[in-house]
Every structure is written in structure tokens, then in C-alpha cells.
Amino acid sequence: VPAERKGLFGAVPLAHRFLRERLRPGDRAVDATCGNGHDTLLLGELVGPEGRVWGFDLQEKALAATSELLREKGLADRVALVHAGHERLAEFVTEPLRAAVFNLGYLPGGETSFVTRPETTLTAFDAVLPLLLPGGIVIVVLYTGHSGGPEEEAAVTSRAAGLDPLKFNVWSCRQGNRSAAAPYLLLVEKI
Ligand SMILES: C[S@@+](CC[C@H](N)C(=O)[O-])C[C@H]1O[C@@H](n2cnc3c(N)ncnc32)[C@H](O)[C@@H]1O
């Protein structure tokens, strides 16, 4: 399958479709794992000049790449890049959010020591839920193919499964014709 067609149906493009559907100018949003900044960039575009985005990453290199991308596109002003673990999210973000995105695992070709971990991912996930506006969404891109991935997936999906169905919709979006190790999305929507 040509790369451009494969990409249309991957977990990240699907996450972007949900974000496009939900985010409006003036909204607030969080990218919990900036990496190379592709998700941060989309959030910045969607919230517009009156909106605000907070982007977290532990790696200086990742934040530098994200910052450069945002600067190139003229969106740096509306994005606060935070050089800290997303487990500290509550210290930096207190405003109501329309969306948060977690792209878990590690940067392809990057430092595997900067992999996301179940405890810190759950702390951030728990911190973001009370900030969600009605109709607000959290998207988690889950990877099970690396060491520690299945444990992190189990931690996140089990936390999400315990959310009150009167307060949250929880969807799991995975490709039915791929291996169990293919990345997939968990979508949590505040009712
Ligand atoms: C899969 S990459 C994210 C890809 C990114 N969204 C993109 O579009 O390029 C995961 C990122 O999470 C970061 N990370 C790992 N643990 C973290 C933590 N506790 N808090 C914030 N970022 C973390 C890594 O440094 C890495 O850049």
C-alpha cells in the first residue's frame, strides 16, 4: 500500500479527524506528548488566534522540534510548550479543555528511555478528565508493540473502563484487519 494511502487510515490520522471535528476557534487544548510537534501543530491551527494550547514533553529535543514547527507556521504565540512530564499537568493547566491528546510510546528513531510509562500516563489522564468541557474529548494513541506497551495499554484501558457511563463515553477504535500490535485509539468524551 503506498505510504500516503496507508497514512489515511492510521491511528494518528484518525485522531486528527476527531480533533478536527471537535475543536473550534477559541478553544483550549493539551498535547500531552509533543514529540516532533505534529499533533501540537494541528491543535494550534484548530484553536485559532484566540485559543490556547499547552504542549508537554520530557525531551528538550522534542520541544525544540515542536517550537521550530510552530514558529515556521506562525502559531508559536498561542502554544505554551512545557518542558516537564505530563504528570505535572495540573500545575500548568487549570482552564476548561475541549481536547487533549496523548500519543504514547516513544519517538520513532528517538531515545527509547523517554518512553511514556503507565503511572505517569495515568496521573496525566486523571488530571485532564476533570478539566474537560461537556463534549470535550481525550484521545489516547496506544501502542502495544514495544516493551512496556502492553502494560501501559492495560493500565489506560482499565482506567477508562471504570469511568462512569453517565459522565463519559469511552470508545476504542482499532483496525479489525491488523495484528493486535497495531496502534489504536481510545477516545473518551465528556457527556
Ligand atoms: C510517540 S511520541 C509523540 C509523537 C508526537 N505526538 C508527534 O506528533 O510527533 C511520545 C513522546 O512522549 C514524550 N514523553 C515520554 N514520557 C513523557 C512524559 N511523562 N511527559 C511528557 N512527555 C513524555 C517522549 O519524549 C516523546 O517525545
Side-chain angles (χ1 to χ4, degrees):
V1 183
E4 65 278 12
R5 288 211 45 214
K6 208 170 159 190
L8 275 179
F9 304 102
V12 171
L14 185 60
H16 285 197
R17 287 179 187 212
F18 285 126
L19 293 168
R20 284 182 195 284
E21 186 268 332
R22 209 39 66 105
L23 277 161
R24 291 290 172 267
D27 281 344
R28 269 78 181 124
V30 163
D31 184 352
T33 52
C34 286
N36 289 323
H38 304 295
D39 301 330
T40 324
L41 177 66
L42 179 70
L43 297 177
E45 283 169 1
L46 295 173
V47 302
E50 307 302 326
R52 189 93 180 127
V53 175
W54 291 265
F56 292 81
D57 208 291
L58 284 175
Q59 290 189 72
E60 223 167 306
K61 204 178 86 181
L63 290 176
T66 302
S67 171
E68 177 59 20
L69 189 60
L70 293 169
R71 207 188 46 75
E72 260 172 38
K73 305 285 180 186
L75 302 180
D77 288 357
R78 63 191 75 163
V79 181
L81 293 177
V82 185
H83 187 201
H86 44 226
E87 58 278 15
R88 293 180 55 199
L89 188 140
E91 289 173 44
F92 297 91
V93 187
T94 52
E95 294 182 41
L97 297 173
R98 186 81 60 198
V101 57
F102 291 72
N103 193 337
L104 300 180
Y106 55 86
L107 272 179
E111 267 288 346
T112 52
S113 58
F114 284 106
V115 69
T116 55
R117 294 176 200 283
E119 322 75 61
T120 41
T121 298
L122 286 185
T123 303
F125 184 73
D126 290 346
V128 111
L129 293 177
L131 295 174
L132 281 186
L133 289 163
I137 55 173
V138 180
I139 294 180
V140 188
V141 182
L142 289 159
Y143 299 83
T144 56
H146 63 276
S147 159
E151 292 76 10
E152 186 172 41
E153 178 211 17
V156 174
T157 53
S158 116
R159 182 72 110 242
L163 293 176
D164 182 347
L166 295 176
K167 296 186 179 147
F168 295 96
N169 290 313
V170 177
W171 291 87
S172 170
C173 314
R174 57 196 312 165
Q175 287 168 292
N177 60 347
R178 300 287 152 111
S179 86
Y184 72 97
L185 292 190
L186 186 83
L187 173 68
V188 177
E189 179 187 43
K190 175 86 196 292
I191 295 171

